[in-house]
Amino acid sequence: DAMVIQNPRYQVTQFGKPVTLSCSQTLNHNVMYWYQQKSSQAPKLLFHYYDKDFNNEADTPDNFQSRRPNTSFCFLDIRSPGLGDAAMYLCATSRRPGEREGRDTQYFGPGTRLTVL
Amino acid sequence: DQQVKQNSPSLSVQEGRISILNCDYTNSMFDYFLWYKKYPAEGPTFLISISSIKDKNEDGRFTVFLNKSAKHLSLHIVPSQPGDSAVYFCAATFDYKLSFGAGTTVTVRA
């Protein structure tokens, strides 16, 4: 089945120790997104890639970076995790805008739960 | 600034009855609206959507209603089943970026 995969599902890191979260997709979608979700809050968009074009949200801290080496993979790098970065991180994909079917529907992976000690 | 709001954090409904979830938005540029369902420890799953040119969309037990003048949409689930117990997120978009509400936790009682 076509899907969005995130690894690992659970990640524990130490305060200040860099961590990388991984996302891959078999949907061949053009757009990939990273969200941060804290308990009882709405998912918050961090950034997205439209093909190879990187689009950062204005309020995303510099501590968060992303890489998309090819269509299928996208990484979230947290350079120096703080206690406030503990959250669920969600990856999502969508088709290129303008395509007729479900153009804005985003498909999510299962998420990575990040714990910062 | 929260552009999509779900004012009811929780909803409890008896099995077989109707569940009605509400959502309000402030940005008149939104042109596509979606509902997602989320189980614990899983990512949100797309449930149903509606374009701003429509006022109703139905898919099986799920119906979404859009009232553009009131900037309000709702999700009806009829009949509610135990497997519907989850968190439901309302989302809205233009320019392919989603804005989410904070979610409503639905509990279906047997």
Side-chain angles (χ1 to χ4, degrees), chain A residues 85-105:
Chain A
D85 296 328
M88 173 75 83
Y89 289 88
L90 296 165
C91 175
T93 71
S94 70
R95 289 186 175 92
R96 182 191 300 274
E99 291 192 3
R100 195 167 61 87
E101 290 289 328
R103 65 182 177 94
D104 287 327
T105 301

Side-chain angles (χ1 to χ4, degrees), chain B residues 1-57:
Chain B
D1 181 28
Q2 194 77 2
Q3 298 185 75
V4 178
K5 294 181 181 179
Q6 294 175 256
N7 291 320
S8 297
S10 64
L11 173 69
S12 180
V13 64
Q14 194 163 9
E15 183 178 0
R17 298 291 184 98
I18 185 172
S19 294
I20 299 176
L21 291 80
N22 293 302
C23 178
D24 298 297
Y25 62 95
T26 56
N27 191 338
S28 57
M29 295 290 290
F30 289 139
D31 60 359
Y32 193 67
F33 304 87
L34 308 93
W35 285 93
Y36 285 85
K37 177 179 179 180
K38 186 180 183 302
Y39 293 118
E42 294 185 14
T45 302
F46 170 69
L47 193 58
I48 192 169
S49 62
I50 187 167
S51 166
S52 60
I53 62 173
K54 296 185 177 181
D55 54 18
K56 178 182 176 182
N57 188 28

Side-chain angles (χ1 to χ4, degrees), chain A residues 53-99:
Chain A
D53 293 332
F54 177 70
N55 298 270
N56 200 26
E57 293 301 298
D59 57 354
T60 298
D62 292 340
N63 199 25
F64 292 85
Q65 304 286 323
S66 186
R67 296 170 283 136
R68 189 178 185 186
N70 53 54
T71 300
S72 300
F73 284 87
C74 195
F75 300 99
L76 170 61
D77 300 308
I78 309 176
R79 293 191 297 186
S80 181
L83 298 178
D85 296 328
M88 173 75 83
Y89 289 88
L90 296 165
C91 175
T93 71
S94 70
R95 289 186 175 92
R96 182 191 300 274
E99 291 192 3

Side-chain angles (χ1 to χ4, degrees), chain A residues 5-84:
Chain A
I5 302 162
Q6 290 187 247
N7 286 305
R9 294 292 308 275
Y10 300 91
Q11 176 73 56
V12 180
T13 190
Q14 291 181 336
F15 183 95
K17 185 175 181 180
V19 66
T20 295
L21 309 182
S22 167
C23 177
S24 63
Q25 54 129 341
T26 60
L27 298 161
N28 202 31
H29 283 172
N30 299 94
V31 193
M32 295 187 76
Y33 308 79
W34 279 104
Y35 290 85
Q36 178 193 66
Q37 186 184 20
K38 298 186 176 180
S39 294
S40 304
Q41 295 183 20
K44 178 181 179 299
L45 181 64
L46 296 173
F47 26 58
H48 71 276
Y49 273 94
Y50 187 141
D51 293 326
K52 292 184 179 180
D53 293 332
F54 177 70
N55 298 270
N56 200 26
E57 293 301 298
D59 57 354
T60 298
D62 292 340
N63 199 25
F64 292 85
Q65 304 286 323
S66 186
R67 296 170 283 136
R68 189 178 185 186
N70 53 54
T71 300
S72 300
F73 284 87
C74 195
F75 300 99
L76 170 61
D77 300 308
I78 309 176
R79 293 191 297 186
S80 181
L83 298 178

